[in-house]
């Protein structure tokens, strides 16, 4: 699984977002160390704070399925105009991912033309443990 392939899967996952309030569709593709793939998308709510991000949506599915260690996550976003735009994970999602990682997992975000790959430890250097 290349980084480009993982990002392409995240972009596909964004199609399944429920984002009637922001119009901002986010998809995540999460690769566990045992080679399994999990997907998520943002699910918004009329009470905005009840919204769940794509990354945590994928993480919850993975953990439910028994996965506990992760190689990489790709995050893809599509704006209200249907354009793919870069979206690094929010702070809450970084902390949620850190629960199941030593910080070495690869976080892929950006666009297909300008994909960025940053270790989680660099995105969240002082995460809570
Ligand atoms: N969103 C995510 O899915 N992941 C992030 O890391 C940041 C934001 C979603 C939440 C909300 O539905 C929309 O993007 C706009 O904030």
């Amino acid at each position: 699984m290349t980084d480009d392939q993982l990002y392409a899967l995240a972009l596909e996952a964004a199609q399944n977002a429920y984002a009637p309030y922001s119009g901002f569709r986010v998809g995540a593709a999460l690769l566990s160390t045992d080679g399994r793939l999990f997907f998520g998308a943002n699910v918004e709510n009329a009470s905005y704070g009840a919204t769940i991000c794509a990354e945590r949506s994928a993480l919850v599915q993975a953990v439910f399925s028994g996965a506990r260690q992760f190689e990489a996550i790709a995050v893809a976003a599509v704006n209200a105009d249907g354009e793919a735009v870069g979206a690094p994970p929010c702070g809450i999602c970084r902390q949620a991912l850190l629960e199941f990682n030593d910080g070495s997992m690869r976080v892929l975000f950006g666009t297909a033309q300008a994909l960025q790959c940053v270790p989680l430890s660099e995105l969240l250097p002082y995460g809570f443990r």
Side-chain angles (χ1 to χ4, degrees), residues 33 35 38 44 62 84 93 99 107:
T33 48
F38 302 93
E44 297 186 344
C93 289
E99 181 71 21
V107 182

Side-chain angles (χ1 to χ4, degrees), residues 24-26 55 74-78 85-90 94 107-111:
F24 195 74
R25 309 169 83 82
V26 186
E55 299 90 322
V75 185
V78 177
V85 291
C90 79
R94 295 176 196 197
V107 182
L108 310 169
F109 57 91
T111 60

Side-chain angles (χ1 to χ4, degrees), residues 18-19 22-27 41-45 51-56 75 87-91 93:
Y18 175 75
S22 71
F24 195 74
R25 309 169 83 82
V26 186
N42 54 331
V43 178
E44 297 186 344
N45 192 277
T51 292
I52 182 167
C53 293
E55 299 90 322
R56 278 176 292 138
V75 185
C90 79
C93 289

